[in-house]
Amino acid sequence: MTHDNTPTEGHALVYQVHLPLSTKSLTMITQAIRRYRRGVRSRWRKLPDEQVALIVLAVLRHDQRPADLAAAYGVSHHSVRRWVRQTITTLAAMAPRLDRVLTHTARTSSEDPLLFDGTCLPVHRPSGRAERRLWCGKHKAHHLRVLTLTDHHGRLLWISAAAGARTHEATQAKRLRLPTRLRRHDLAVICDRIHTRLDDQPENPTVITGRRGNRHHPSPPPNTA
């Protein structure tokens, strides 16, 4: 059985999208695709690695539909989806682990506290059980949440695996055993008040948060100097 992919109207309509990409981003994605092909010993693809990298970035950065890109490049939309999954898997394997980041930070700049926070990433509405797991009550939409660790200048050092936004941010941090790992490397982090009870040893704190004033512990007066 043969398939005729010729459009019924006669010609396929293709439009271009302007992507604000740097050469470094395109090179990194291309190297990730080549690394994956070497790992699985894939010696041939219908498109060069540079074009595959552009397609993947168009899906990830501009939210282009794989079917539209597949029609423009003359490939199957299943191939486009597979390239995106392979690139994400390869980039996730290249990301530094938390213990290695803390070890390097303790060796280079152990006196400055780090910054710890979570951020939500919007996603399309899923189906099935994932719909409840990805629902974010704060934004009233479906999101994935990742935890980030930066230095005091705001440079990203580490990012966690994405989890459903229904899981509380403090619960994700507790599952990482963050205070224990920080104490092991003599480090501290600054985060918001949502992590007030994250530190398991208040007498030797490694998680610095703000605190609401109450009648037993009033807030200090503002500095008017």
Side-chain angles (χ1 to χ4, degrees), residues 58-70:
V59 175
L60 297 179
R61 300 275 314 256
H62 197 267
D63 200 19
Q64 282 290 106
R65 295 197 309 171
D68 296 338
L69 294 171

PDB file of all heavy atoms in Angstrom, residues 58-70:
ATOM      1  N   ALA A  58      12.189  25.505  17.104  1.00  0.00           N
ATOM      2  CA  ALA A  58      10.913  26.119  16.732  1.00  0.00           C
ATOM      3  C   ALA A  58       9.768  25.547  17.555  1.00  0.00           C
ATOM      4  O   ALA A  58       8.830  26.263  17.928  1.00  0.00           O
ATOM      5  CB  ALA A  58      10.651  25.917  15.238  1.00  0.00           C
ATOM      6  N   VAL A  59       9.834  24.264  17.862  1.00  0.00           N
ATOM      7  CA  VAL A  59       8.800  23.655  18.695  1.00  0.00           C
ATOM      8  C   VAL A  59       8.924  24.109  20.144  1.00  0.00           C
ATOM      9  O   VAL A  59       7.929  24.447  20.802  1.00  0.00           O
ATOM     10  CB  VAL A  59       8.877  22.117  18.596  1.00  0.00           C
ATOM     11  CG1 VAL A  59       7.887  21.467  19.559  1.00  0.00           C
ATOM     12  CG2 VAL A  59       8.593  21.655  17.177  1.00  0.00           C
ATOM     13  N   LEU A  60      10.156  24.142  20.665  1.00  0.00           N
ATOM     14  CA  LEU A  60      10.353  24.450  22.081  1.00  0.00           C
ATOM     15  C   LEU A  60      10.260  25.949  22.368  1.00  0.00           C
ATOM     16  O   LEU A  60       9.735  26.339  23.419  1.00  0.00           O
ATOM     17  CB  LEU A  60      11.719  23.923  22.535  1.00  0.00           C
ATOM     18  CG  LEU A  60      11.915  22.408  22.465  1.00  0.00           C
ATOM     19  CD1 LEU A  60      13.318  22.036  22.918  1.00  0.00           C
ATOM     20  CD2 LEU A  60      10.876  21.687  23.315  1.00  0.00           C
ATOM     21  N   ARG A  61      10.754  26.791  21.490  1.00  0.00           N
ATOM     22  CA  ARG A  61      10.813  28.231  21.758  1.00  0.00           C
ATOM     23  C   ARG A  61       9.588  28.977  21.243  1.00  0.00           C
ATOM     24  O   ARG A  61       9.180  29.968  21.829  1.00  0.00           O
ATOM     25  CB  ARG A  61      12.068  28.844  21.118  1.00  0.00           C
ATOM     26  CG  ARG A  61      13.384  28.284  21.599  1.00  0.00           C
ATOM     27  CD  ARG A  61      13.930  28.910  22.838  1.00  0.00           C
ATOM     28  NE  ARG A  61      13.903  30.347  22.897  1.00  0.00           N
ATOM     29  CZ  ARG A  61      14.973  31.124  22.729  1.00  0.00           C
ATOM     30  NH1 ARG A  61      16.150  30.584  22.440  1.00  0.00           N
ATOM     31  NH2 ARG A  61      14.877  32.422  22.879  1.00  0.00           N
ATOM     32  N   HIS A  62       9.021  28.524  20.117  1.00  0.00           N
ATOM     33  CA  HIS A  62       7.907  29.255  19.513  1.00  0.00           C
ATOM     34  C   HIS A  62       6.594  28.487  19.595  1.00  0.00           C
ATOM     35  O   HIS A  62       5.560  28.974  19.159  1.00  0.00           O
ATOM     36  CB  HIS A  62       8.228  29.583  18.045  1.00  0.00           C
ATOM     37  CG  HIS A  62       7.348  30.647  17.462  1.00  0.00           C
ATOM     38  ND1 HIS A  62       6.194  30.359  16.768  1.00  0.00           N
ATOM     39  CD2 HIS A  62       7.438  31.999  17.485  1.00  0.00           C
ATOM     40  CE1 HIS A  62       5.630  31.486  16.365  1.00  0.00           C
ATOM     41  NE2 HIS A  62       6.365  32.489  16.782  1.00  0.00           N
ATOM     42  N   ASP A  63       6.646  27.259  20.145  1.00  0.00           N
ATOM     43  CA  ASP A  63       5.449  26.424  20.283  1.00  0.00           C
ATOM     44  C   ASP A  63       4.800  26.133  18.926  1.00  0.00           C
ATOM     45  O   ASP A  63       3.580  26.124  18.780  1.00  0.00           O
ATOM     46  CB  ASP A  63       4.431  27.081  21.213  1.00  0.00           C
ATOM     47  CG  ASP A  63       3.419  26.076  21.757  1.00  0.00           C
ATOM     48  OD1 ASP A  63       3.709  24.866  21.704  1.00  0.00           O
ATOM     49  OD2 ASP A  63       2.341  26.503  22.221  1.00  0.00           O
ATOM     50  N   GLN A  64       5.650  25.909  17.924  1.00  0.00           N
ATOM     51  CA  GLN A  64       5.133  25.543  16.613  1.00  0.00           C
ATOM     52  C   GLN A  64       4.585  24.114  16.645  1.00  0.00           C
ATOM     53  O   GLN A  64       5.120  23.243  17.327  1.00  0.00           O
ATOM     54  CB  GLN A  64       6.249  25.626  15.574  1.00  0.00           C
ATOM     55  CG  GLN A  64       6.565  27.041  15.119  1.00  0.00           C
ATOM     56  CD  GLN A  64       5.448  27.618  14.283  1.00  0.00           C
ATOM     57  OE1 GLN A  64       4.717  28.470  14.757  1.00  0.00           O
ATOM     58  NE2 GLN A  64       5.303  27.168  13.057  1.00  0.00           N
ATOM     59  N   ARG A  65       3.540  23.877  15.900  1.00  0.00           N
ATOM     60  CA  ARG A  65       2.966  22.533  15.833  1.00  0.00           C
ATOM     61  C   ARG A  65       3.868  21.622  15.008  1.00  0.00           C
ATOM     62  O   ARG A  65       4.309  21.992  13.910  1.00  0.00           O
ATOM     63  CB  ARG A  65       1.573  22.579  15.214  1.00  0.00           C
ATOM     64  CG  ARG A  65       0.556  23.326  16.053  1.00  0.00           C
ATOM     65  CD  ARG A  65      -0.848  22.997  15.612  1.00  0.00           C
ATOM     66  NE  ARG A  65      -1.012  23.154  14.163  1.00  0.00           N
ATOM     67  CZ  ARG A  65      -2.099  22.772  13.496  1.00  0.00           C
ATOM     68  NH1 ARG A  65      -3.087  22.208  14.148  1.00  0.00           N
ATOM     69  NH2 ARG A  65      -2.180  22.965  12.199  1.00  0.00           N
ATOM     70  N   PRO A  66       4.167  20.425  15.512  1.00  0.00           N
ATOM     71  CA  PRO A  66       5.034  19.509  14.750  1.00  0.00           C
ATOM     72  C   PRO A  66       4.487  19.186  13.366  1.00  0.00           C
ATOM     73  O   PRO A  66       5.256  19.000  12.423  1.00  0.00           O
ATOM     74  CB  PRO A  66       5.095  18.266  15.641  1.00  0.00           C
ATOM     75  CG  PRO A  66       4.837  18.777  17.017  1.00  0.00           C
ATOM     76  CD  PRO A  66       3.858  19.903  16.854  1.00  0.00           C
ATOM     77  N   ALA A  67       3.162  19.121  13.232  1.00  0.00           N
ATOM     78  CA  ALA A  67       2.593  18.790  11.922  1.00  0.00           C
ATOM     79  C   ALA A  67       2.887  19.882  10.902  1.00  0.00           C
ATOM     80  O   ALA A  67       3.146  19.598   9.723  1.00  0.00           O
ATOM     81  CB  ALA A  67       1.085  18.566  12.048  1.00  0.00           C
ATOM     82  N   ASP A  68       2.851  21.161  11.323  1.00  0.00           N
ATOM     83  CA  ASP A  68       3.146  22.257  10.399  1.00  0.00           C
ATOM     84  C   ASP A  68       4.609  22.226   9.960  1.00  0.00           C
ATOM     85  O   ASP A  68       4.922  22.422   8.779  1.00  0.00           O
ATOM     86  CB  ASP A  68       2.826  23.598  11.052  1.00  0.00           C
ATOM     87  CG  ASP A  68       1.349  23.755  11.360  1.00  0.00           C
ATOM     88  OD1 ASP A  68       0.549  23.052  10.716  1.00  0.00           O
ATOM     89  OD2 ASP A  68       1.009  24.558  12.241  1.00  0.00           O
ATOM     90  N   LEU A  69       5.507  21.990  10.904  1.00  0.00           N
ATOM     91  CA  LEU A  69       6.926  21.933  10.554  1.00  0.00           C
ATOM     92  C   LEU A  69       7.231  20.715   9.697  1.00  0.00           C
ATOM     93  O   LEU A  69       8.073  20.773   8.802  1.00  0.00           O
ATOM     94  CB  LEU A  69       7.765  21.895  11.837  1.00  0.00           C
ATOM     95  CG  LEU A  69       7.706  23.171  12.690  1.00  0.00           C
ATOM     96  CD1 LEU A  69       8.398  22.930  14.019  1.00  0.00           C
ATOM     97  CD2 LEU A  69       8.351  24.329  11.963  1.00  0.00           C
ATOM     98  N   ALA A  70       6.557  19.616   9.978  1.00  0.00           N
ATOM     99  CA  ALA A  70       6.786  18.419   9.175  1.00  0.00           C
ATOM    100  C   ALA A  70       6.375  18.633   7.726  1.00  0.00           C
ATOM    101  O   ALA A  70       7.062  18.206   6.793  1.00  0.00           O
ATOM    102  CB  ALA A  70       6.024  17.241   9.779  1.00  0.00           C
TER     103      ALA A  70
END
